[in-house]
Amino acid sequence: MLFYKPLNICSGLLLLCSNVDAQQASNAKLPDPFHFVDGSAVTSKSQWDTRREEINQLYQNDEAGTFPPKPSTFSATFASNILTITCSEGGKPISFTASIKYPSSGQVPYPAIIGYGGGSIPAPAGVAMINYNNLDLAADATTRGGGKFYTLYGTSTTAGAEAAWAWGASRILDALEITPGARINPERVGITGCSRYGKGAFMAGALEPRYALTIPQESGVSGSGCWRLAADLNKNGQSVEAAGNLAMPNTNWLCPAFDTFAKAINTLPFDHHMIAGMIAPRGLYVIDNLDYVWLGPESNFGCMTAAQEIYKSLGATSSMGYSAIGGHAHCAFDSRQQSELTAFVNRFLLDKDVDTTVINNGGGFTFDKSKWINWTTPTLT
Ligand SMILES: *[C@@H]1O[C@H](CO)[C@@H](O)[C@H](O)[C@H]1NC(C)=O
């Protein structure tokens, strides 16, 4: 079991968290992943596990909203390639489905990739694709509370749509674990999505440690982009989606407390290099589109370069890759990235010993470490 720092008492209420957040104050740089909120240093892998849980609590308090565990009553059935999940919490049952498309080759139990809205990557050989209708769990709207997740947890829960989507995807994993008839190996499941669903897949990968591989595509802020880097690009004349665009009333994707941080993003005690770090040392392959400036490929590149430091500290540098390419439509997978995708799938879902070193800075971006990073990267053992 991981240790939970006393941050748990915050339960999403910013005012109660003032003791925690006050210590963070305003920080224009990318916050230090390797020091706890109380200032002590992270020097070992086991301390990183504790720090990771601290970051998880901050993330849920300030951006995602509360990510509930598996509900107390849970069952799943499988028929005609459809997984049907039924659960309740305090007597309010919901039911939702996910369909599985099996590969024409490969070995039972198959690895699988859960795709938000079906996903936007080609099905890899030997891997099942699970079509996840995330909108059934939470509506993508400018008001909060639509969708089955909120039927279960009530409309005053802090979880935004992205956390609700991640919750539903975790229930698919729960269902696979108790449904051998579905012929999927629950220990070899990846998660993917593009654009707003890319943000969703990124969050799912961070909140749910059971995914072996996370593949966010063109996700931007609240995904592979850092809030501070996107704000800086805007200040310098690029039109890039940033915190204000995700606060209410513009989207229902994040928790209500985020709206306050959106107005003063430098007070957020983390940024998304640290959220990518929550995925480490598991597989993370970030796909970007150079032609879609709104989703901030330059911010994503910088943010993932900073995130690479966390993978490096864990001795897992090649477990994360960043690849940016232009010349294709938004969310259209480009076949020039196929070999990279195949390498990540082979290593993390098919257990093959292949090289997944991918830093394809197709945009020719530079990330000014001296401007954004004033911490050093320890070697965690
Ligand atoms: C890094 O910068 C932040 C904000 O500018 C500051 O609070 C912090 O003390 C600095 N850390 C180091 C190690 O210099």
Side-chain angles (χ1 to χ4, degrees):
M1 246 342 251
L2 299 170
F3 289 103
Y4 285 74
K5 294 224 141 196
L7 292 173
N8 290 349
I9 54 158
C10 296
S11 57
L13 287 172
L14 190 58
L15 285 175
L16 294 182
C17 295
S18 53
N19 59 325
V20 168
D21 292 306
Q23 292 171 44
Q24 292 292 325
S26 183
N27 183 352
K29 295 183 188 289
L30 294 179
D32 183 350
F34 301 113
H35 281 83
F36 290 97
V37 169
D38 72 7
S40 56
V42 175
T43 59
S44 68
K45 279 185 178 165
S46 80
Q47 284 174 342
W48 171 255
D49 288 343
T50 312
R51 171 61 171 151
R52 183 193 180 280
E53 187 50 34
E54 183 175 73
I55 294 166
N56 183 18
Q57 292 299 326
L58 294 167
Y59 184 43
Q60 291 188 45
N61 285 338
D62 302 344
E63 181 176 330
T66 301
F67 181 64
K70 185 179 174 183
S72 47
T73 305
F74 185 91
S75 65
T77 58
F78 179 74
S80 308
N81 295 348
I82 308 275
L83 203 53
T84 301
I85 295 158
T86 303
C87 49
S88 66
E89 196 69 272
K92 292 166 288 183
I94 62 164
S95 184
F96 63 100
T97 62
S99 64
I100 305 179
K101 190 167 186 297
Y102 290 92
S104 55
S105 62
Q107 276 187 340
V108 174
Y110 298 107
I113 297 176
I114 299 172
Y116 281 51
S120 303
I121 55 169
V127 177
M129 294 298 291
I130 302 180
N131 187 339
Y132 171 39
N133 179 14
N134 51 299
L135 295 181
D136 198 22
L137 275 300
D140 179 8
T142 54
T143 53
R144 292 174 53 81
K148 290 171 180 172
F149 174 88
Y150 298 98
T151 304
L152 200 61
Y153 291 106
T155 50
S156 58
T157 182
T158 58
E162 281 184 40
W165 296 339
W167 178 90
S170 287
R171 305 295 70 84
I172 295 175
L173 287 178
D174 295 337
L176 294 171
E177 285 174 355
I178 59 169
T179 314
R183 295 173 295 144
I184 301 294
N185 180 352
E187 292 182 357
R188 289 290 174 271
V189 174
I191 184 107
T192 190
C194 186
S195 201
R196 61 195 63 185
Y197 295 173
K199 304 178 196 300
F202 189 95
M203 182 182 284
L207 292 176
E208 173 56 73
R210 286 176 291 177
Y211 297 118
L213 176 60
T214 302
I215 310 174
Q217 208 174 346
E218 303 183 37
S219 59
V221 281
S222 190
S224 61
C226 279
W227 298 110
R228 287 164 175 81
L229 299 184
D232 190 62
L233 290 176
N234 269 326
K235 216 167 64 189
N236 290 299
Q238 276 191 34
S239 182
V240 172
E241 185 186 43
N245 301 103
L246 273 73
M248 287 296 269
N250 297 316
T251 81
N252 66 353
W253 301 342
L254 304 176
C255 73
F258 181 75
D259 296 355
T260 307
F261 289 104
K263 297 188 185 88
I265 202 63
N266 289 349
T267 61
L268 194 69
F270 57 86
D271 215 318
H272 270 239
H273 60 308
M274 289 156 66
I275 308 307
M278 288 173 66
I279 302 172
R282 293 171 291 135
L284 172 62
Y285 174 52
V286 176
I287 304 174
D288 240 341
N289 185 347
L290 295 174
D291 299 338
Y292 211 76
V293 172
W294 176 245
L295 289 175
E298 189 169 348
S299 146
N300 304 340
F301 170 73
C303 195
M304 292 302 98
T305 303
Q308 189 72 265
E309 294 298 316
I310 300 168
Y311 272 83
K312 190 170 132 195
S313 75
L314 294 165
T317 306
S318 71
S319 295
M320 81 154 284
Y322 173 86
S323 181
I325 206 167
H328 60 89
H330 181 44
C331 293
F333 183 80
D334 193 306
S335 59
R336 288 171 293 167
Q337 288 164 312
Q338 183 67 58
S339 61
E340 298 166 357
L341 174 63
T342 301
F344 272 86
V345 167
N346 281 346
R347 178 169 166 199
F348 291 100
L349 299 184
L350 292 161
D351 286 324
K352 290 185 186 162
D353 185 16
V354 294
D355 185 12
T356 48
T357 304
V358 175
I359 292 290
N360 160 7
N361 178 16
F365 302 128
T366 51
F367 173 63
D368 185 352
K369 279 195 182 172
S370 63
K371 175 176 173 184
W372 292 104
I373 294 181
N374 69 350
W375 34 269
T376 53
T377 303
T379 299
L380 305 175
T381 51

